[in-house]
Amino acid sequence: MTKNSQTGGDIWGRNWSDTSYWLDGLTPPNMPETSLPREVDVVIVGSGYTGLNAAIETARGGRSTLVLEAETPGWGCSTRNGGQISTSIKPSLDKLAARHGRDRAVAIRSEGCAALKWIEERIKADGINCDFRRAGRFHAAHTPAAFEELARDSEKLRRDEGIEAHMIPRAEQRGELGTDVYHGGALFPAHSALNPALYQHGLLKTALAAGAQVLGQTPVLAISRSAARHEVTTARGTVLARDVIVATNGYTTALTPWQQRRVIPIGSYVIATEPLAKDLIDRLFPTDRVVSDTCKVVYYYRASPDRTRILFGGRVSATETDTHVSGPRLHADMCRVFPELSAAKISHSWMGTVAYTFDELAHTGTHEGVHYAMGYCGSGVSMASYLGMRMGQKVLGLAEGRTAFDDLPFPTRPFYTGRPWFLPAAVAWYRWRDTRQRQQAAG
Ligand SMILES: Cc1cc2nc3c(=O)[nH]c(=O)nc-3n(C[C@H](O)[C@H](O)[C@H](O)COP(=O)(O)OP(=O)(O)OC[C@H]3O[C@@H](n4cnc5c(N)ncnc54)[C@H](O)[C@@H]3O)c2cc1C
């Protein structure tokens, strides 16, 4: 859908779009006409990275597999994200060790590295053309204190977990990023980049080629258990399945109330600029890395894979907002980092809903006979893919399906039903604190 400029003066490109930049000019894979079967081995709810990677495993393992998607396949975050791949585990080793013991903590943290390594292997093995690159990440310090903390953390990561990380002092920052607003940062050479929608389309083709059936525009309305089967009620009728995998992440609803009480839906917002001069992109992103910063309400950005545009993302309002409103705010933040972009116009402004959890960990398991994997806390490109794949292996009864996340308690809070009433106040406070810290650091 395209819209004319409504707010923010002349920062909008003509006919800017409120859908993901990644979908521009992409033709969805050919989908065979499928009617709802009466019975299958496995039903998967959701057609993003979690659902499709699970489907590839179960279909290849010889199980009749049906993926049901409420909208068009890939409608959720998996075609809208920043395409940045990290090691995806937010809590530090020490924090996890305090909660779960040292061995479990090491095992959980290792899964982050395993997911990153595995996604590269899947993309190569299945010939998925999605601009995957070991680009490296520059994680920029918003204050000198944040730089010192990053330096301590990087040292620990190298020493305790063998994760490569180097500090880049402010004096050398321009070699990584064309700005002086940061106080240096950490470089993670293994972190990677891809085109998220091309990746989702590649997974969809791979799942179809493996024999999975994928039905769009088919919301699942109810899941109930009868004897050894699940009865899955959809807008097109009912299908029986031995196994059901719920892969709805930030779009989890009252269909699965137990999971809904455990994930916190949060909007994340992105803009893309219109094409920019090559020498400008070369100056701003000389090493073509993905970038994030140490603000509590993080900004993440990068050049497009063809190095013609900048994609700039973050959370720019306390409450959920419209992409007409988030666009100008992100533009202003982008210009704060790169004043040279003040004349750059927005060609796309979009958002999607991620799922946070109360312990900042992803969760996977089986509740009342229904399998699930979700709660990637905004870092799901590799982790959703990996846990989806492992869930598929579990359904096949394979020992390698086990992960360090299995059987972790999946916390909720009293009276929480899936509507994060506490979020606006928390985001407002953290954004205010980030801004204050930045201003103090700038003197
Ligand atoms: C703006 C943005 C930027 C991001 N940037 C990054 C990044 O740079 N790096 C990173 O690692 N992660 C990032 N993420 C997070 C990442 O995209 C997600 O973690 C990941 O895509 C989750 O995949 P998924 O398959 O679990 O869920 P999704 O891709 O969201 O798919 C869930 C699907 O379930 C469907 N569904 C829900 N209910 C039903 C129902 N009842 N019946 C049928 N279907 C249903 C929905 O329609 C949806 O299509 C970002 C997310 C957003 C929104």
Side-chain angles (χ1 to χ4, degrees):
M1 194 208 309
T2 58
K3 292 197 175 142
N4 292 320
S5 140
Q6 297 193 6
T7 49
D10 62 358
I11 60 167
W12 295 105
R14 267 167 66 86
N15 298 325
W16 70 275
S17 166
D18 65 1
T19 52
S20 163
Y21 162 74
W22 303 110
L23 292 170
D24 255 23
L26 266 197
T27 315
N30 265 339
M31 302 276 296
E33 270 299 311
T34 314
S35 52
L36 193 75
R38 265 176 53 80
E39 186 165 351
V40 291
D41 293 325
V42 188
V43 159
I44 296 170
V45 189
S47 62
Y49 305 147
T50 307
L52 292 176
N53 278 291
I56 291 168
E57 294 307 307
T58 56
R60 283 182 176 164
R63 302 290 193 277
S64 56
T65 298
L66 175 66
V67 179
L68 297 173
E69 167 57 53
E71 309 281 343
T72 50
W75 176 86
C77 288
S78 296
T79 52
R80 308 176 190 214
N81 62 67
Q84 305 196 0
I85 314 178
S86 64
T87 46
S88 302
I89 313 281
K90 287 209 158 41
S92 67
L93 185 62
D94 290 347
K95 235 186 200 171
L96 287 176
R99 280 192 223 153
H100 303 290
R102 186 87 185 166
D103 289 352
R104 189 69 181 268
V106 169
I108 292 171
R109 295 275 313 172
S110 308
E111 293 285 31
C113 299
L116 172 55
K117 186 162 169 279
W118 175 83
I119 193 175
E120 182 172 17
E121 285 165 10
R122 158 135 288 166
I123 287 166
K124 281 196 182 138
D126 287 310
I128 298 176
N129 181 5
C130 61
D131 297 319
F132 178 92
R133 273 182 323 115
R134 284 264 174 183
R137 171 188 307 278
F138 182 63
H139 190 48
H142 72 297
T143 63
F147 180 83
E148 293 308 321
E149 196 178 335
L150 261 185
R152 287 191 296 275
D153 290 349
S154 298
E155 172 56 29
K156 271 188 173 172
L157 283 176
R158 277 194 302 273
R159 191 188 61 217
D160 299 344
E161 301 183 60
I163 292 176
E164 215 187 323
H166 317 287
M167 294 310 291
I168 308 285
R170 192 180 200 179
E172 292 165 26
Q173 184 167 279
R174 284 238 167 209
E176 288 294 338
L177 197 64
T179 180
D180 297 318
V181 299
Y182 296 114
H183 300 263
L187 177 61
F188 296 94
H191 290 193
S192 302
L194 52 60
N195 175 324
L198 276 179
Y199 173 52
Q200 193 276 340
H201 282 197
L203 291 173
L204 181 54
K205 281 186 206 153
T206 308
L208 291 168
Q213 290 177 285
V214 181
L215 267 183
Q217 317 300 341
T218 312
V220 173
L221 307 175
I223 305 168
S224 61
R225 201 151 185 192
S226 62
R229 289 278 184 275
H230 296 277
E231 205 174 282
V232 180
T233 308
T234 79
R236 294 184 195 224
T238 297
V239 53
L240 297 176
R242 192 163 56 202
D243 288 287
V244 176
I245 299 174
V246 173
T248 50
N249 199 45
Y251 300 93
T252 300
T253 62
L255 171 71
T256 50
W258 187 85
Q259 284 84 355
Q260 190 186 25
R261 287 196 58 219
R262 284 162 174 80
V263 290
I264 307 162
I266 303 184
S268 190
Y269 298 78
V270 191
I271 53 170
T273 64
E274 288 193 331
L276 301 167
K278 183 180 176 308
D279 62 330
L280 178 56
I281 298 260
D282 288 346
R283 215 164 39 246
L284 302 186
F285 291 86
T287 46
D288 208 15
R289 304 204 195 280
V290 297
V291 183
S292 50
D293 70 15
T294 51
C295 287
K296 181 77 179 169
V297 185
V298 64
Y299 292 99
Y300 52 92
Y301 46 98
R302 57 178 285 184
S304 57
D306 63 1
R307 288 180 65 75
T308 59
R309 300 166 191 255
I310 289 168
L311 313 178
F312 193 92
R315 165 96 194 182
V316 283
S317 63
T319 52
E320 297 305 341
T321 188
D322 192 78
T323 50
H324 298 79
V325 176
S326 56
R329 292 188 187 175
L330 283 168
H331 190 274
D333 284 328
M334 179 177 75
C335 293
R336 177 178 53 75
V337 177
F338 301 120
E340 284 178 87
L341 291 178
S342 58
K345 292 194 192 303
I346 299 171
S347 63
H348 299 73
S349 174
W350 74 97
M351 63 84 64
T353 308
V354 305
Y356 267 68
T357 59
F358 288 101
D359 61 0
E360 292 189 297
L361 284 176
H363 285 270
T364 182
T366 305
H367 178 74
E368 293 180 347
V370 173
H371 312 297
Y372 63 86
M374 57 181 59
Y376 308 111
C377 300
S379 299
V381 175
S382 57
M383 193 48 80
S385 302
Y386 178 77
L387 290 185
M389 176 274 292
R390 291 289 185 223
M391 183 51 82
Q393 291 178 334
K394 275 189 203 112
V395 166
L396 295 175
L398 301 175
E400 60 260 44
R402 280 202 63 76
T403 74
F405 295 91
D406 295 2
D407 312 319
L408 279 181
F410 194 170
T412 181
R413 293 288 181 270
F415 310 116
Y416 179 66
T417 55
R419 199 183 61 82
W421 49 268
F422 44 84
L423 207 60
V427 174
W429 156 247
Y430 284 128
R431 276 178 57 79
W432 177 82
R433 201 182 64 170
D434 289 341
T435 305
R436 189 157 157 266
Q437 288 173 345
R438 268 200 319 262
Q439 287 168 345
Q440 282 173 343

